[in-house]
Amino acid sequence: HPSNYMWQQMGNPARKSLNLLVLIACLSCGVCLKESVSMFNVQPNSQQAHHDVTLGKVKCVFSWAAVGGTNEDWQATLTKQDGYTCVIERPDKASYLFFNNFAASIIGGDLDSAEVFDSAGHLIEGSFEVDTSQGSVKNIEGKFKNSLGRLVLKATRHKRKKEL
């Protein structure tokens, strides 16, 4: 339809102007959200595997070994807004895999905290350890009940040291 074509032609400059305004507003107030998302497949073959997601100079690495069930699609998201947040999860439903072990780490940032949730969405207490000096979280052998649904790591970017 001719009027649709005309609207599309007129809409492009208007859309560009709107995008520019949003960008300017975002930069001026400092609330721009940066995000890197990647999907990966967890295979229940009891072999140690890993996946990482990178945003700028910060990387979040997840490693695991799992058995039982069938392959599952998982998601790794690294977000920058007032620090960095890395979320490793099965995004659409509960995991039915039996995790032998897991570990996650932040490279290029200082790990502040980590939370681990089971496949039912409950916060797991006492079955993992956080090592902020190494920037990592991992299961505690013998205490981890092999159910994993989501990990959340929060970090700040390494501070530059001023020269004297």
Side-chain angles (χ1 to χ4, degrees):
H1 190 271
S3 65
N4 285 342
Y5 176 78
M6 188 177 199
W7 172 251
Q8 288 172 349
Q9 295 305 312
M10 290 173 57
N12 276 339
R15 258 185 263 131
K16 287 179 185 176
S17 296
L18 180 60
N19 288 343
L20 183 59
L21 284 173
V22 169
L23 178 62
I24 290 169
C26 184
L27 292 174
S28 67
C29 66
V31 295
C32 291
L33 181 67
K34 295 181 180 180
E35 182 176 79
S36 179
V37 179
S38 64
M39 298 298 292
F40 62 99
N41 195 262
V42 175
Q43 298 178 354
N45 57 12
S46 74
Q47 294 181 9
Q48 200 66 34
H50 77 278
H51 181 80
D52 60 71
V53 61
T54 303
L55 182 62
K57 294 182 179 182
V58 175
K59 181 188 288 189
C60 180
V61 180
F62 174 56
S63 62
W64 72 91
V67 296
T70 58
N71 295 353
E72 293 180 353
D73 290 326
W74 280 59
Q75 179 175 299
T77 305
L78 184 56
T79 306
K80 179 184 178 189
Q81 184 178 20
D82 299 326
Y84 289 85
T85 301
C86 177
V87 177
I88 308 292
E89 64 186 340
R90 185 166 190 211
D92 56 351
K93 52 186 141 190
S95 175
Y96 296 101
L97 296 179
F98 186 89
F99 283 82
N100 297 332
N101 61 64
F102 74 87
S105 61
I106 294 280
I107 300 168
D110 296 321
L111 182 65
D112 297 322
S113 65
E115 294 177 321
V116 181
F117 299 85
D118 65 16
S119 60
H122 301 112
L123 185 64
I124 300 172
E125 303 280 347
S127 65
F128 65 93
E129 61 186 355
V130 178
D131 184 343
T132 55
S133 67
Q134 295 294 313
S136 65
V137 58
K138 66 179 182 177
N139 66 283
I140 299 173
E141 196 169 330
K143 293 188 177 183
F144 175 56
K145 303 292 184 219
N146 308 98
S147 177
L148 185 63
R150 184 174 201 228
L151 291 124
V152 179
L153 287 75
K154 294 189 182 262
T156 52
R157 179 84 171 101
H158 287 311
K159 305 280 190 268
R160 291 182 189 242
K161 293 182 179 167
K162 293 182 180 180
E163 294 187 30
L164 299 175

